[in-house]
């Protein structure tokens, strides 16, 4: 009877240990294991988003226009910060936060923004607001972040 109880306890402990191992990822995760876990059905969607953002930035001049807009509002610290934040949140929730970051970067490296006679602190204020906005946007809608998609 005692031998049977010890055997059952060992079996229960082994099952518990197996469950805990299944719940926790084994580290280090190899590259191959990581690649197997990628949601490949999202790949065409993501590639399409990046292509769309680059096309909009280059062909339509939207990034250049946004760069000019940021220069225009840079005279007021609060307004420029708010505009950078709102532009990032809206853009992120239209195309996703990663492609939005690329689009906003295109605006910041545009001729209108990069060659404007802005004090460095004003340019950085808008850039940091945009960075915060693309990260904040992930909390509003599913499309705002890849984790939500």
């Amino acid at each position: 009877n005692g031998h049977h109880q010890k055997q059952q306890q060992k079996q229960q402990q082994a099952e518990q240990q197996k469950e805990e191992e299944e719940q926790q990822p084994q580290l280090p995760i190899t590259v191959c294991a990581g690649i197997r876990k990628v949601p490949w059905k999202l790949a065409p969607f993501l590639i399409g988003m990046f292509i769309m953002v680059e096309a909009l930035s280059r062909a339509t001049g939207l990034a250049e226009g946004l760069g000019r807009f940021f220069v225009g509002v840079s005279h007021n610290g609060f307004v420029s910060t708010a505009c950078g934040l709102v532009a990032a949140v809206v853009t992120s929730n239209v195309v996703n936060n990663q492609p939005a970051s690329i689009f906003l970067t295109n605006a910041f490296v545009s001729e209108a923004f990069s060659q404007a006679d802005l004090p460095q602190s004003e340019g950085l204020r808008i850039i940091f607001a945009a960075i915060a906005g693309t990260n904040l946007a992930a909390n509003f809608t599913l499309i705002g972040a890849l984790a939500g998609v």
Side-chain angles (χ1 to χ4, degrees), residues 16-127:
Q16 256 183 341
Q17 187 177 7
K18 185 177 179 182
E19 286 177 15
E20 289 173 5
E21 288 174 1
E22 288 175 356
Q23 290 175 357
Q24 297 177 353
Q26 297 295 317
L27 297 176
I29 296 176
T30 65
V31 173
C32 292
I35 289 172
R36 280 193 294 266
K37 293 187 182 225
V38 170
W40 290 107
K41 291 179 182 178
L42 285 179
F45 168 74
L46 295 175
I47 292 168
M49 291 297 243
F50 284 102
I51 290 170
M52 182 180 74
V53 165
E54 276 301 311
L56 285 173
S57 292
R58 292 181 185 190
T60 64
L62 284 175
E64 187 76 27
L66 188 59
R68 276 193 300 278
F69 171 76
F70 285 145
V71 169
V73 297
S74 66
H75 63 281
N76 182 319
F78 175 77
V79 172
S80 64
T81 303
C83 287
L85 187 70
V86 169
V89 169
V90 170
T91 306
S92 294
N93 281 291
V94 171
V95 294
N96 183 275
N97 63 343
Q98 290 179 348
S101 297
I102 292 171
F103 174 71
L104 291 167
T105 300
N106 288 339
F108 297 135
V109 299
S110 71
E111 192 174 317
F113 189 84
S114 63
Q115 294 184 3
D117 189 24
L118 289 177
Q120 185 178 8
S121 61
E122 290 301 318
L124 288 175
R125 181 177 301 176
I126 298 169
I127 292 169

